Amino acid sequence: MQERMLNNSAVSEALRLLWEMRTHQALMGYFAILHSSRGEESDKGVSVNFKAFYDRFCKVKGGPHPYIKIFTQDSLKWQNKNVAGSYSPSSVRAVSPLRKVVDIVGEGRQAKYVLKEQHYSQACAHLAFNNKIPIELFSAVLFRDHLIHAEEGKEPEEVLRDAFLSEFIGSENGGSIWISLLVGFLFRRMFHGLNNCYF
């Protein structure tokens, strides 16, 4: 097992390619909820610490705002700092595309986010506009400042896919059909821009 880190040019290219895709910015909120559920299908929902999620995966030093938007259709590439407020029950309106993917139960800090049945296909339709998100590109941006554990002999795209599955699904759920459905939503081989992505 080795530890690797992505180089800056690979991360920049991954982000550029993701920005070219038609996606809704609430797609990142879906991944925050997914991360909190870690592959568990719970009809009671989960509490989500959006700020901690954004701090871990979207925080960038030196920008005009603390968080970069990984998914966006507009020219504004920065998320406002009140990410928790952006996903609060009062902010996510009934007509929001995110409501097609999750139910929100409760109010304020007590709110629970419940992934709907077949949420991955709903996310694909309403938050990714039927695009398949290249898992390698998304992982390259998510793990840009992280050491990635890599088994010897694995190709970079396999390492990035494994890192995503470990972080968002959890190894204890490795045999679930849930994973194949989610990866079907995420995965598309589109790795041409990330050659030599390790130091």
Side-chain angles (χ1 to χ4, degrees):
M1 190 75 76
Q2 300 174 320
E3 288 186 330
R4 303 290 187 91
M5 182 169 259
L6 292 151
N7 66 41
N8 290 338
S9 60
V11 174
S12 297
E13 181 67 2
L15 191 57
R16 186 188 68 76
L17 291 168
L18 288 171
W19 280 345
E20 287 182 352
M21 299 184 68
R22 186 179 179 220
T23 55
H24 193 282
Q25 66 181 19
L27 183 56
M28 201 60 189
Y30 167 68
F31 282 114
I33 297 164
L34 197 63
H35 186 262
S36 292
S37 73
R38 300 262 307 166
E40 297 294 330
E41 297 281 5
S42 169
D43 57 4
K44 295 180 180 175
V46 294
S47 297
V48 182
N49 188 333
F50 289 100
K51 184 179 184 309
F53 180 83
Y54 272 77
D55 280 348
R56 182 164 184 190
F57 294 114
C58 301
K59 198 164 194 173
V60 175
K61 292 180 181 174
H65 298 281
Y67 306 115
I68 193 85
K69 287 183 182 176
I70 296 176
F71 301 109
T72 184
Q73 285 188 266
D74 58 36
S75 58
L76 183 61
K77 305 298 186 191
W78 297 95
Q79 178 85 31
N80 70 62
K81 65 181 180 181
N82 184 18
V83 288
S86 298
Y87 294 108
S88 70
S90 59
S91 295
V92 183
R93 299 181 186 278
V95 295
S96 167
L98 188 60
R99 290 278 193 171
K100 307 231 182 245
V101 182
V102 300
D103 289 320
I104 306 175
V105 180
E107 295 293 329
R109 296 184 181 202
Q110 306 305 316
K112 301 278 188 184
Y113 295 79
V114 185
L115 291 166
K116 293 187 176 184
E117 192 172 338
Q118 296 189 336
H119 51 86
Y120 31 81
S121 56
Q122 294 300 314
C124 183
H126 299 289
L127 298 174
F129 305 104
N130 293 315
N131 289 310
K132 288 187 177 179
I133 308 299
I135 194 169
E136 305 93 342
L137 301 184
F138 187 40
S139 292
V141 177
L142 288 178
F143 302 116
R144 66 195 178 281
D145 295 327
H146 301 244
L147 288 173
I148 301 173
H149 297 285
E151 291 180 30
E152 272 192 56
K154 282 204 169 185
E155 296 294 324
E157 63 266 32
E158 294 177 283
V159 172
L160 289 168
R161 187 173 60 234
D162 289 350
F164 176 86
L165 292 175
S166 175
E167 185 71 35
F168 282 79
I169 308 300
S171 58
E172 67 274 13
N173 297 305
S176 172
I177 190 171
W178 196 95
I179 292 176
S180 63
L181 291 167
L182 180 65
V183 171
F185 157 46
L186 285 167
F187 185 74
R188 185 175 68 184
R189 184 168 292 275
M190 188 173 164
F191 213 65
H192 58 274
L194 297 180
N195 292 329
N196 303 314
C197 65
Y198 296 133
F199 283 124

